[in-house]
Amino acid sequence: MKALPKMAKGASSPELKELITSHLEETRGQVERLKQIFELLGKRPSGKLCKAMEGLVEEGKEQLENDEEGATKDVCIAGAALRVEHYEIAGYTAAIAIAQTLGQDEIVELLTENLNEEEEAARKVLDQTQPLLEEAQSEGEEDEEDGEEEEEEEAPARKPQKKSAKSPSKRATR
């Protein structure tokens, strides 16, 4: 939850910003459902450091700090967000399987709501990534064209050289 506002701020695409911001609200609802699950189990919710999630959040931070700009940076941010969504999907899927095995139907329902939201968030991120990829590709092509124009301006004009009598093409005809 702490990383989402930073990711939204780092995105340049208004659609990606909105997607990340709206998912933050969903995430708050998911936390409330998790609290309900702990109540049903008669347990006190406590946080435990997840090294895998910590690594995914760190990857997201790296994407925010990279030198890319515009759509290319947004694609990097979306990729980091998608990896987090998939990790969450895997976690909810496993938790649901365990709850089903234990016959905890109410917990299964609450976890399934969270899972459905995560799957929908992943789908939305993926859908948003397609136009960003196309835009990033266009930006990259423009940068290549700009680079080629600069090379042409800087490169001195070269005189064509005469072929010597010993050139491979003359030898082949002898």
Side-chain angles (χ1 to χ4, degrees), residues 129-149:
T129 303
Q130 186 59 43
L132 289 172
L133 283 168
E134 291 167 6
E135 189 178 333
Q137 185 176 12
S138 295
E139 288 173 359
E141 289 170 359
E142 288 172 11
D143 288 346
E144 284 179 19
E145 289 172 8
D146 290 345
E148 289 172 8
E149 288 172 11

Side-chain angles (χ1 to χ4, degrees), residues 18 47 49 63 66 75 100 106-107 121 149 154-156 158 164:
E18 172 58 32
L49 177 66
Q63 297 309 318
N66 74 26
V75 168
Q100 285 172 331
E106 193 172 351
I107 292 173
E149 288 172 11
E154 292 174 9
R158 295 183 186 173
S164 70

Side-chain angles (χ1 to χ4, degrees), residues 68-127:
E68 299 296 338
E69 295 178 356
T72 303
K73 184 173 200 126
D74 286 346
V75 168
C76 294
I77 292 169
L82 194 58
R83 287 188 294 279
V84 169
E85 296 308 323
H86 282 254
Y87 186 74
E88 291 173 328
I89 289 166
Y92 283 124
T93 301
I96 289 167
I98 292 167
Q100 285 172 331
T101 301
L102 297 173
Q104 296 286 338
D105 296 336
E106 193 172 351
I107 292 173
V108 169
E109 281 183 41
L110 292 166
L111 290 171
T112 300
E113 283 185 63
N114 285 8
L115 175 62
N116 291 340
E117 287 178 358
E118 293 301 342
E119 289 174 335
E120 182 65 14
R123 186 194 60 74
K124 287 177 181 177
V125 169
L126 201 52
D127 288 350

Side-chain angles (χ1 to χ4, degrees), residues 49-60:
L49 177 66
C50 175
K51 291 185 186 251
M53 184 59 79
E54 184 179 49
L56 290 171
V57 169
E58 184 60 33
E59 282 185 25

